[in-house]
């Protein structure tokens, strides 16, 4: 499937109103794991908006990356409750497993490692997301196992 | 430990997570006039559970009074406050009761369209919610209530929990809060009258209609009627979700949840207040004391309150929408400021200058985010100054 057909699909599904912008961007993001300049231009045309407006909106949201990321995005919760539960160890374990630093993407574009604000699992920290899937009560071993599950 | 006591406590109130016959409650509500529903909610004194605590009965009354061809009902499930996770649990375990509250609201204010604005972090809930919605919509159809609920997702922005930012986001824009007034009940989604309520608030409205306002009023205190769902985390042997009566003191709370060495409790998340041990006895959890959207984080004496404050300020720097200067620049300066004091690049009295700056943030920030950053800052600086300096 050519890249741009995701935009067409999304517009067909959600319509061309401005209120559909978020669902459309979220749809394309889910398929491609980031929003390219071309995608945003195409969305702008379909919704009759300026590309600056679309980019301005997309770039506001931390889950709508406008730079290319890995296929699986790991987001480790850095809020205080997870921090108290040693989320640093989780990050170190993932860094050495994937041989990248926090904030980086693996050369094969499979994984990106990021930190994020409260994931809403404070009673079961440390917690992380791999794309939409939640992993809680992590230990370094469990974090590594989660990565392997997603290989 | 206090586990026995906790078990007793847990059994006492069970309004939010109890199984109910939702079809029966819906029947009852649809047979009740809008006026009577509003009266019952006002009599219950229920105030919003999302943090700001606006009286729910009044909100619905204002929305009902608006003359408009279209009105919206929005359930705020953005739950981004650090230390809060109860809305996820409610939607996971009792989604129908949330829909029920929304449908009752629709019937009361005269709306045919509802939305659940669910934070992107909870996207995994969507398939099960869609399934439950399908069943729910069938029942509405059978009862001839013209109301449909759809789910909209957020994309990782805390400020979108602020009701006008949430509406901006639903309209396909940056989640930048609007000036109020006009309030959403007058001009909300697409400029139409809109009720925005928290997940938990909707469930309580349904339960108040089921059991009557009197029963609800018997719980809590004069200023904080009823119960509330608390999200408990941090240094506690009993982390989790608990429905407790409002108006308890922090002392009682810590007796139930503390690990024996609790030095401070952060009430209300990053945007709430830090209370040190010596003030536990006099501090009431409720609107007359310290209100909370539910976030309760306990810290024991092994924790550095400097790290806690640093973590909160870092959070606000990232999540400020940047629209107004006091908040955008203020958050950054507070963070830089405490780092500089810690590194002895600035004298300790610089903290007083920073506190002065929080006055400006409080009075001139556009929305609740910037206005509440001073809460954590001042309460940590005032009570744990040595930890921030040395
Ligand atoms: C920065 C900020 C974030 C907020 N986040 C939420 C939230 O996640 N959930 C929520 O219900 N209310 C949140 N609120 C409060 C809402 O603006 C609004 O008052 C609330 O949804 C109204 O519902 P209630 O009356 O039932 O509490 C937030 C407010 C601010 C200023
Ligand atoms: S106070 Fe902060 S979050 Fe609120 S509008 Fe101003 S910059 Fe945005």
């Amino acid at each position: 499937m050519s890249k741009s057909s995701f935009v067409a699909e999304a517009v067909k599904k959600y319509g061309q109103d401005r209120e559909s912008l978020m669902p459309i961007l979220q749809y394309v993001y889910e398929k491609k794991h980031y929003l390219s300049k071309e995608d945003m231009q195409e969305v702008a045309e379909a919704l009759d908006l300026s590309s600056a407006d679309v980019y301005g909106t997309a770039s506001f949201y931390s889950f709508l990356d406008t730079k290319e990321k890995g296929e699986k995005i790991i987001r480790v919760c850095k809020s205080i409750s997870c921090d108290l539960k040693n989320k640093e160890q989780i990050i170190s374990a993932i860094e050495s497993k994937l041989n990248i630093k926090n904030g980086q993407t693996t050369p094969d574009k499979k994984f990106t490692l990021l930190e994020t604000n409260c994931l809403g699992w404070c009673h079961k920290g440390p917690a992380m997301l791999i794309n939409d899937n939640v992993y809680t009560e992590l230990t370094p071993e469990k974090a590594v196992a989660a990565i392997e599950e997603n290989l | 430990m206090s586990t026995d006591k906790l078990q007793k406590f847990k059994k006492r109130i069970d309004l939010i997570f109890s199984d109910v016959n939702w079809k029966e409650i819906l029947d009852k509500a649809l047979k009740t006039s809008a006026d009577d529903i509003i009266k019952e909610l006002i009599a219950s004194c229920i105030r919003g559970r999302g943090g700001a605590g606006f009286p729910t009965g009044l909100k619905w009354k204002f929305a009902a009074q608006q003359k408009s061809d279209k009105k919206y009902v929005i359930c705020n499930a953005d739950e981004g406050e650090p230390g809060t996770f109860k809305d996820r649990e409610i939607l996971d375990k009792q989604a129908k009761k949330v829909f029920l509250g929304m449908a009752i609201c629709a019937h009361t204010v005269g709306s045919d369209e509802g939305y659940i604005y669910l934070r992107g972090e909870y996207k995994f809930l969507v398939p099960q919610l869609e399934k439950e919605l399908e069943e729910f919509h069938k029942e509405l159809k059978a009862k001839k209530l013209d109301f449909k609920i759809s789910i909209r997702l957020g994309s990782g922005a805390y400020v979108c929990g602020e009701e006008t930012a949430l509406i901006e986001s639903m309209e396909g824009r940056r989640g930048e809060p609007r000036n109020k007034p006009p309030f959403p009940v007058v001009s909300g989604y697409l400029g139409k009258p809109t009720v925005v309520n928290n997940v938990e608030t909707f469930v309580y409205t349904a339960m108040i209609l089921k059991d009557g306002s009197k029963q609800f009023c018997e719980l809590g205190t004069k200023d904080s009627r009823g119960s509330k769902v608390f999200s408990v985390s941090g240094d506690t042997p009993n982390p989790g979700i608990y429905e407790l009566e409002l108006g308890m003191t922090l002392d009682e709370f810590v007796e139930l949840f503390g690990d024996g060495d609790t030095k401070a409790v952060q009430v209300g998340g990053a945007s709430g207040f830090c209370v040190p041990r010596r003030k536990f006895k006099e501090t009431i959890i409720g609107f007359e004391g310290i209100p909370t959207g539910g976030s309760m984080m306990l810290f024991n004496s092994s924790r550095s309150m400097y790290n806690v404050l640093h973590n909160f300020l870092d959070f606000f720097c990232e999540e400020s929408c940047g629209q107004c200067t006091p908040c955008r620049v203020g958050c950054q300066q507070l963070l830089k400021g405490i780092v500089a004091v810690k590194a002895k690049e600035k004298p300790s009295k610089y903290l007083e200058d920073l506190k002065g700056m929080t006055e400006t943030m409080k009075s001139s920030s556009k929305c609740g985010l910037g206005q509440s950053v001073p809460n954590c800052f001042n309460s940590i600086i005032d009570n744990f100054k040595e930890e921030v300096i040395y």
Side-chain angles (χ1 to χ4, degrees), chain B residues 159 177 319-324 327-328 365-371:
Chain B
V159 71
E319 300 294 344
S320 162
C321 81
Q323 198 188 171
C324 58
C327 169
R328 182 186 65 245
S365 291
K366 185 169 174 181
C367 87
L369 190 152
Q371 290 159 9

Side-chain angles (χ1 to χ4, degrees), chain A residues 55-114:
Chain A
Y55 177 77
T57 303
S59 60
F60 182 84
Y61 296 93
S62 66
F63 278 21
L64 293 176
D65 295 285
T66 49
K67 295 212 175 62
E68 189 162 8
K69 293 271 154 58
E71 188 190 321
K72 305 266 166 119
I73 301 187
I74 307 163
R75 297 177 199 269
V76 180
C77 180
K78 65 169 171 175
S79 276
I80 190 72
S81 295
C82 283
D83 189 76
L84 299 180
K85 295 272 158 67
N86 300 323
K87 60 101 186 157
E88 276 313 325
Q89 286 181 8
I90 306 304
I91 292 178
S92 306
I94 299 173
E95 282 177 338
S96 31
K97 172 74 189 167
L98 295 176
N99 209 7
I100 52 172
K101 288 270 161 242
N102 190 2
Q104 294 179 338
T105 300
T106 52
D108 63 359
K109 299 255 185 315
K110 184 93 189 165
F111 289 101
T112 299
L113 174 60
L114 301 172

Side-chain angles (χ1 to χ4, degrees), chain B residues 95-362:
Chain B
K96 289 259 181 32
K97 286 167 82 174
V98 180
F99 308 157
L100 182 61
M102 293 177 72
I104 296 172
C105 179
H107 161 70
T108 309
V109 307
S111 159
D112 63 355
E113 201 170 330
Y115 290 93
I116 296 175
Y117 187 91
L118 183 73
R119 67 193 305 233
E121 290 84 343
Y122 295 167
K123 191 171 165 200
F124 68 95
L125 284 174
V126 171
Q128 76 189 63
L129 288 177
E130 294 282 10
K131 221 173 103 200
E132 299 225 32
L133 268 176
E134 208 179 297
E135 237 181 280
F136 190 76
H137 285 143
K138 256 190 217 144
E139 186 66 17
L140 291 186
K141 211 167 162 193
K143 300 259 158 72
K144 301 207 165 27
L145 181 71
D146 181 16
F147 180 59
K148 187 169 178 291
I149 300 172
S150 321
I151 299 171
R152 286 295 186 82
L153 283 165
S155 272
Y158 163 69
V159 71
C160 287
E162 197 281 336
E163 54 190 5
T164 61
L166 183 154
I167 289 168
E168 287 286 309
S169 174
M170 279 184 50
E171 290 180 0
R173 297 172 213 281
R174 296 165 68 85
E176 293 176 349
R178 298 174 178 173
N179 279 319
K180 293 193 266 192
F183 289 93
V185 283
V186 175
S187 174
Y189 184 51
L190 304 176
K192 302 292 181 188
T194 303
V195 174
V196 183
N197 272 132
N198 176 254
V199 173
E200 183 185 341
T201 312
F202 277 120
V203 179
Y204 275 125
T205 58
M207 294 306 283
I208 289 167
L209 289 184
K210 171 178 170 283
D211 299 329
S213 58
K214 198 162 162 280
Q215 196 165 326
F216 189 79
C217 273
E218 277 162 11
L219 296 171
T221 61
K222 184 167 74 56
D223 297 309
S224 312
R225 295 284 183 209
S227 46
K228 153 122 215 46
V229 184
F230 289 89
S231 311
V232 183
S233 70
D235 295 316
T236 166
N238 303 304
I241 293 160
Y242 300 87
E243 188 173 13
L244 305 170
E245 209 173 330
L246 282 172
M248 67 195 300
T249 65
L250 254 190
D251 209 35
E252 293 170 300
F253 178 86
V254 169
E255 204 188 314
L256 290 173
F257 295 101
D259 62 357
D261 186 26
T262 308
K263 114 168 141 182
V265 181
Q266 180 75 19
V267 183
S271 58
F273 293 85
C274 181
V275 184
R277 185 186 293 152
R278 70 191 142 79
K279 292 186 185 159
F280 287 170
K281 271 206 170 65
E282 68 201 52
T283 304
I284 292 174
I285 308 167
F287 296 107
E288 64 270 61
I290 302 189
T292 168
S295 173
M296 303 293 283
M297 298 189 284
L298 296 94
F299 303 111
N300 69 21
S301 61
S302 73
R303 306 300 180 181
S304 149
M305 297 313 287
Y306 170 81
N307 287 348
V308 173
L309 181 57
H310 191 286
N311 185 289
F312 290 162
L313 292 175
D314 188 50
F315 167 76
F316 286 123
C317 285
E318 281 186 24
E319 300 294 344
S320 162
C321 81
Q323 198 188 171
C324 58
T325 316
C327 169
R328 182 186 65 245
V329 178
C331 290
Q332 290 166 3
Q333 290 305 318
L334 292 180
L335 179 58
K336 267 195 200 153
I338 63 161
V339 171
V341 170
K342 191 82 176 172
K344 305 276 180 286
E345 285 157 16
K346 293 264 188 202
S348 56
K349 69 175 185 339
Y350 183 62
L351 292 175
E352 292 307 314
D353 298 345
L354 294 176
K355 279 182 64 178
M357 195 176 67
T358 65
E359 288 305 314
T360 313
M361 294 178 74
K362 216 186 284 181

